Amino acid sequence: MGGTVLTQDQSDDLFWLGRYTERVYTTVRNYFPEFDAMIDEQMDSFGEYCVRMDIPNVYTTREDFLKRYPFDPENPDSIAANLNRAFDNAILLRGQIGTGCFAYIQLAVYDLERASVSHAPFIAMQDLTDHILAFWGSIDDEVDDEKIRSIFKAGKRLERLDLYARMRKDREALCREQKRLANRLERSGLSFDRQLLEEIDACIEENPIDYRKVITLTEQIGAHV
């Protein structure tokens, strides 16, 4: 594939920029209903959420979870930590994605900081998701090189499939993301194991869906791209 010549580090940074921005976007969107449910619940369910998302339950109370999971940058599994990783990668890739694209990630960081000190964080969190959507749209509009776009989107699609499996999305949603992932990997020029994609497809077609195996296979693809 022609176009921009990327170093291995740049390809890795692009792939993970896609993963981190998707992780932030999808977890924030999932966090809204979780937040509402936890405020009203009689028993704490954040432990179940941690199991489902395969993250350590380091939280002492419901209130601790609702504060530290989205906003604590020192917590490696938090939304804040993942957004900071996206920001760090975007800085390294300014030459490839452009200053205009990068600005939307910077705005998302400001949104999360604003939400962390607000009594009504949902407005700022909605602004955050809007700016990530704007970032993705800006990549499509301003980055001409298909290889750059495809590597970025391969990471994005891999992360979404992984998260959707953890969230126990339905067969249609998983099938759609698996096909999108396969398409982007093919167009990216990245080396990957096609057999793993076929195994994921087979798992999604099982009744019931083997969500744990889908997650494992997705992780294996990500580890060897």
Side-chain angles (χ1 to χ4, degrees):
M1 182 181 297
T4 303
V5 176
L6 299 170
T7 66
Q8 183 61 52
D9 284 345
Q10 288 170 335
S11 292
D12 289 345
D13 289 340
L14 273 169
F15 186 77
W16 277 98
L17 179 59
R19 294 200 68 169
Y20 288 137
T21 54
E22 178 63 46
R23 190 176 300 176
V24 170
Y25 177 78
T26 297
T27 50
V28 167
R29 290 194 66 189
N30 192 58
Y31 176 75
F32 289 147
E34 295 284 344
F35 183 93
D36 286 340
M38 286 182 193
I39 287 177
D40 297 330
E41 67 189 5
Q42 298 300 312
M43 297 182 63
D44 291 336
S45 65
F46 63 85
E48 297 174 11
Y49 178 88
C50 292
V51 170
R52 191 162 72 249
M53 298 300 289
D54 197 21
I55 60 175
N57 183 0
V58 297
Y59 310 101
T60 55
T61 64
R62 181 190 325 172
E63 290 72 22
D64 185 45
F65 173 83
L66 293 173
K67 186 67 176 177
R68 290 179 56 211
Y69 177 66
F71 302 127
D72 181 6
E74 301 303 317
N75 175 1
D77 299 300
S78 70
I79 293 169
N82 282 297
L83 182 57
N84 285 342
R85 292 182 190 115
F87 179 81
D88 290 342
N89 278 32
I91 288 177
L92 295 174
L93 293 165
R94 286 179 75 165
Q96 287 71 44
I97 65 175
T99 301
C101 293
F102 169 77
Y104 287 114
I105 296 294
Q106 196 165 32
L107 287 170
V109 171
Y110 293 154
D111 294 332
L112 193 62
E113 291 174 352
R114 183 160 50 92
S116 70
V117 296
S118 173
H119 294 296
F122 284 167
I123 295 175
M125 296 287 263
Q126 183 61 58
D127 290 342
L128 185 158
T129 58
D130 288 346
H131 282 131
I132 290 179
L133 287 172
F135 171 69
W136 291 341
S138 186
I139 291 284
D140 279 332
D141 189 56
E142 297 186 23
V143 177
D144 293 328
D145 193 283
E146 183 182 1
K147 183 174 183 178
I148 289 176
R149 295 197 309 270
S150 291
I151 292 173
F152 169 78
K153 290 183 179 181
K156 180 176 178 293
R157 294 303 176 191
L158 183 75
E159 187 68 25
R160 181 171 292 189
L161 180 59
D162 179 274
L163 290 170
Y164 275 21
R166 296 179 191 279
M167 296 173 183
R168 303 300 192 262
K169 297 287 187 177
D170 62 28
R171 194 183 316 277
E172 181 180 357
L174 292 180
C175 186
R176 181 175 63 250
E177 295 308 324
Q178 191 272 350
K179 286 181 170 56
R180 288 174 169 174
L181 171 61
N183 177 56
R184 280 300 166 184
L185 284 172
E186 290 288 353
R187 295 167 66 179
S188 70
L190 297 170
S191 176
F192 65 96
D193 190 337
R194 288 171 174 79
Q195 179 63 34
L196 293 176
L197 280 175
E198 294 175 5
E199 291 181 37
I200 290 173
D201 192 40
C203 289
I204 293 171
E205 292 302 321
E206 289 180 6
N207 192 16
I209 298 170
D210 189 341
Y211 288 103
R212 176 46 57 183
K213 191 171 182 182
V214 172
I215 294 167
T216 299
L217 293 168
T218 303
E219 289 176 339
Q220 289 175 1
I221 291 175
H224 296 97
V225 165

